[in-house]
Amino acid sequence: MLNRSVPILAGLLLASLAGTAGVWLHGRTALAEARQSHLAYVAQVERNAREASEAARIEEQRRKEAQLEIVQLARRSAQRTAEDLARRVAVSERLRERAGQLAIRCAGPSDLPVADGSQTAGSAGAVLVDMLGRIEQAAGELAAFADAASNSGTACERAYDSLTDGRRQDIP
């Protein structure tokens, strides 16, 4: 009986070894496939990271250039405003000089200085010239403030639009 069981045991042992070898070979193949899949996944993640980094760098450069352009536009606008203010001041000076000349020309006998008396309040023309000068000065200061506020607001709006690609969210 022992002679008969040896071939059966040997057959079972060979079948077991063959099965183990098959499982082992299958496991190695699956491991190799898993490694390949993982390497492909890592390569794709690295590629996506490089593309995202490049896109972010390009967007940052676009925003930086847009901001520099806005600053240059604001400076040019401020320069034009300053030149306009200088022209307005020159026109105002000429207008006051002309009004002063007209006030002197229109002065009546009551506007002449009195010898031993107190000073007069001044002619209506002189008062008008003084008032015109003060009004013009206040208007100039107000105009300068309005121009500066307008330039700043425009630059701020352009800067915001350049950072948001002009997409505004309406608030309900």
Side-chain angles (χ1 to χ4, degrees), residues 99-124:
Q101 291 169 355
L102 290 174
I104 290 171
R105 190 181 294 171
C106 295
S110 64
D111 295 331
L112 297 175
V114 178
D116 288 311
S118 64
Q119 281 194 341
T120 61
S123 69

Side-chain angles (χ1 to χ4, degrees), residues 96-148:
R96 268 186 282 186
E97 286 176 13
R98 182 69 177 138
Q101 291 169 355
L102 290 174
I104 290 171
R105 190 181 294 171
C106 295
S110 64
D111 295 331
L112 297 175
V114 178
D116 288 311
S118 64
Q119 281 194 341
T120 61
S123 69
V127 171
L128 183 61
V129 168
D130 182 52
M131 187 169 54
L132 176 66
R134 290 180 186 194
I135 290 172
E136 192 282 324
Q137 181 181 2
E141 290 172 2
L142 184 60
F145 176 78
D147 287 342

Side-chain angles (χ1 to χ4, degrees), residues 41-106:
Y41 173 76
V42 167
Q44 183 63 38
V45 167
E46 288 174 348
R47 193 171 23 259
N48 291 347
R50 278 192 307 274
E51 290 172 0
S53 176
E54 181 66 17
R57 189 191 65 73
I58 289 170
E59 177 62 15
E60 180 182 356
Q61 187 65 31
R62 182 199 68 79
R63 288 180 176 194
K64 184 177 181 180
E65 289 171 1
Q67 294 298 312
L68 289 174
E69 182 180 338
I70 290 165
V71 168
Q72 290 171 353
L73 285 172
R75 285 182 181 157
R76 283 195 295 266
S77 179
Q79 179 65 32
R80 284 191 303 271
T81 300
E83 291 168 357
D84 187 40
L85 177 62
R87 282 191 297 275
R88 283 188 284 183
V89 167
V91 168
S92 172
E93 290 293 326
R94 287 193 302 269
L95 181 61
R96 268 186 282 186
E97 286 176 13
R98 182 69 177 138
Q101 291 169 355
L102 290 174
I104 290 171
R105 190 181 294 171
C106 295

